[in-house]
Amino acid sequence: MTRRKLAAGNWKMNGTSASLKELKSLAEAHPNPNCDILICPPATLIDRAAKTAPEQIAIGGQDCHPNATGAHTGDISAQMLADAGASHVILGHSERREDYEESDADVREKVVAALGAGLKVIVCVGESLAERDARNTLDIIGGQMAGSIPDVVTGENLVVAYEPIWAIGTGKVPTLDQIGEVHDFIRLRLVRRFGEGVGLSTRILYGGSVKPSNAADIFDVSNVDGALVGGASLSAADFSPIVTALDNA
Ligand code: PGA
């Protein structure tokens, strides 16, 4: 089974109109990529990003509300993201799980809402350092997958991102063996739960301090189908070599 690789950038709470030029530079550097490229800018830029980005760059959101409409001040629904031109949404990022105490059940509801709005979802899972030190990593990942991913997914509309919390924005990266162990485990869980059709076609991204200098090694690990990149996705100069590494993987 060949899975098309995905280079996804999560700009988090960074970026203003001036940042849109990074999309143009990125597209110029990759007119015809072998992988999918996705940028998830802050919500304020989605509409303009979707209108200005060349077609080889997809645009996504970073969160959505589980309801389609209603009295939820400050929130954005999956339908609104789709209407603004997003094709994907990141759900269950550890920063949302921490800052807003999002539970697996909350994430699952959002996933259902996003799929209902026609979006593809990137569901994030990952252990804390304390959980890794206690050798609980696989239990944590298995529990998050069971709780956060609903039954209705397909290999087309689901992407799973493994992001060890202690590796996000820290410059610390797990060993390639540690990454491989978790990615193989996620693949096995997907196949067991959804069967080979969905299980083997779902892409599994690694995220956490991916940089131009470590990307090629990470992309060589089995069952790593791309990356979810934070800091290094903010500028085309940093993200482009990561896309190139994935193109060549
Ligand atoms: P980082 O963030 O690349 O800045 O470590 C990754 C993420 O949170 O998706």
Side-chain angles (χ1 to χ4, degrees):
M1 166 84 56
T2 52
R3 292 176 291 271
R4 190 164 162 91
K5 312 268 174 167
L6 172 61
N10 173 10
W11 283 6
K12 308 190 180 182
M13 198 172 72
N14 298 290
T16 55
S17 327
S19 320
L20 293 170
K21 68 179 186 317
E22 301 300 329
L23 300 178
K24 201 167 159 267
S25 309
L26 190 62
E28 278 166 9
H30 304 277
N32 220 340
N34 295 322
C35 62
D36 291 338
I37 303 176
L38 169 70
I39 295 289
C40 300
T44 47
L45 291 180
I46 289 174
D47 178 68
R48 269 176 295 167
K51 285 192 178 109
T52 54
E55 62 175 359
Q56 68 271 37
I57 301 183
I59 300 298
Q62 300 173 12
D63 177 49
C64 71
H65 193 278
N67 294 353
T69 57
H72 303 286
T73 302
D75 280 313
I76 295 174
S77 71
Q79 281 77 2
M80 291 169 176
L81 291 177
D83 179 57
S87 54
H88 294 65
V89 61
I90 299 169
L91 293 170
H93 190 282
S94 59
E95 286 152 15
R96 302 244 13 130
R97 290 179 187 263
E98 263 172 39
D99 295 356
Y100 297 93
E101 296 179 1
E102 281 186 14
S103 65
D104 289 330
D106 294 332
V107 176
R108 187 188 189 104
E109 256 194 286
K110 292 179 177 201
V111 172
V112 171
L115 296 178
L119 298 175
K120 297 178 181 177
V121 297
I122 300 179
V123 176
C124 302
V125 296
E127 82 288 0
S128 67
L129 194 54
E131 288 160 347
R132 177 162 282 278
D133 287 346
R135 301 185 189 282
N136 284 339
T137 298
L138 298 184
D139 283 348
I140 295 293
I141 304 296
Q144 289 173 336
M145 288 178 68
S148 307
I149 302 174
D151 292 331
V152 293
V153 295
T154 68
E156 270 294 294
N157 63 22
L158 173 69
V159 176
V160 177
Y162 168 53
E163 298 207 308
I165 296 169
W166 51 275
I168 295 177
T170 58
K172 290 185 198 147
V173 182
T175 65
L176 299 178
D177 283 349
Q178 286 172 326
I179 294 174
E181 182 192 25
V182 176
H183 280 243
D184 288 350
F185 172 80
I186 292 173
R187 177 71 60 212
L188 194 71
R189 281 293 169 105
L190 288 170
V191 169
R192 274 208 202 136
R193 179 168 166 198
F194 297 106
E196 290 201 344
V198 173
L200 294 181
S201 55
T202 298
R203 291 173 292 182
I204 308 173
L205 309 183
Y206 169 77
S209 296
V210 175
K211 304 264 181 295
S213 55
N214 61 20
D217 286 343
I218 292 171
F219 296 150
D220 261 356
V221 176
S222 80
N223 283 314
V224 172
D225 304 309
L228 180 55
V229 183
S233 73
L234 294 173
S235 77
D238 287 333
F239 197 49
S240 176
I242 295 173
V243 174
T244 301
L246 194 54
D247 255 351
N248 296 332

